[in-house]
Amino acid sequence: MKRDIKDGFTLLEVMVAVAIFSVISLAIFAVLTSWRRSRDISELQIDVEFEARRAMRKMTEEIIQTGPNKITITDNTDPVDDIIVFQIPDSYAGGAITWGDQIQYSVSGQQLLRTNLTSGAPPEVIANNIDSLQITDNIATGRVGVDITVTKSHIADQIQIQIGSQVALRNR
């Protein structure tokens, strides 16, 4: 049977074409959805890592300036977050250090706070999404350990990272 071009497509041919188009469309949608979720998780992981590293850098830059006898660590068991209070040097003259402001780092409401206890200024938020801050001192070796745990959630995904650092204190 010869068909004329003007006859068009049969219902069966249209249904087969629609079915094939639907399968291809669903496959493309699944790939794009999977790619987007993967991208969102990667961005979340980068954000969490950046937040943790920024908080760690800020703390260690200041703690490294203090001396073993100028530091106090409050080891809280409930909540897990520790508090560290230390003095930073103000000046160095004639072989002697003049100690300046007393600084405190603590966690409150998932925020890492830096408080200048000497000036009485309001606390400065250093980082968000902080789950815990743990400080270990080994004053005998002149070192302080700092561990920060950061957690961030997005829809059904949750990323948690823990970073730590050992800070060598001044000799004085």
Side-chain angles (χ1 to χ4, degrees):
M1 174 168 141
K2 190 169 180 180
R3 228 202 276 188
D4 192 356
I5 293 184
K6 296 180 185 175
D7 288 343
F9 295 105
T10 66
L11 179 60
L12 182 60
E13 290 171 330
V14 170
M15 288 178 64
V16 169
V18 167
I20 291 171
F21 179 74
S22 296
V23 168
I24 291 171
S25 295
L26 285 173
I28 291 171
F29 180 75
V31 167
L32 289 175
T33 301
S34 174
W35 172 80
R36 183 176 180 177
R37 184 171 185 273
S38 180
R39 187 199 68 197
D40 288 348
I41 290 172
S42 294
E43 285 178 358
L44 184 63
Q45 189 167 8
I46 289 168
D47 287 348
V48 169
E49 239 180 270
F50 177 76
E51 195 79 20
R53 291 184 189 285
R54 186 169 54 96
M56 182 64 74
R57 187 186 75 245
K58 176 73 173 168
M59 284 184 65
T60 56
E61 282 176 355
E62 286 193 322
I63 293 172
I64 201 167
Q65 298 178 43
T66 195
N69 59 344
K70 300 294 181 184
I71 191 166
T72 305
I73 298 168
T74 305
D75 186 15
N76 291 333
T77 54
D78 188 28
V80 182
D81 304 317
D82 295 338
I83 298 171
I84 183 169
V85 178
F86 56 92
Q87 278 186 290
I88 54 175
D90 192 31
S91 63
Y92 182 78
I97 296 173
T98 304
W99 294 96
D101 294 347
Q102 197 170 30
I103 305 298
Q104 172 182 294
Y105 279 95
S106 61
V107 174
S108 177
Q110 288 199 310
Q111 291 182 323
L112 177 63
L113 302 176
R114 179 193 184 271
T115 307
N116 186 327
L117 299 174
T118 306
S119 72
E124 173 188 358
V125 176
I126 301 300
N128 293 302
N129 304 306
I130 305 294
D131 277 342
S132 70
L133 168 64
Q134 294 183 324
I135 311 290
T136 53
D137 76 27
N138 192 350
I139 302 300
T141 63
R143 295 191 178 278
V144 172
V146 180
D147 291 302
I148 298 173
T149 304
V150 181
T151 302
K152 197 169 185 180
S153 299
H154 176 70
I155 305 174
D157 301 311
Q158 183 176 15
I159 302 291
Q160 184 177 62
I161 186 170
Q162 180 177 10
I163 64 170
S165 182
Q166 290 288 319
V167 181
L169 305 174
R170 282 180 165 269
N171 291 335
R172 301 176 188 223

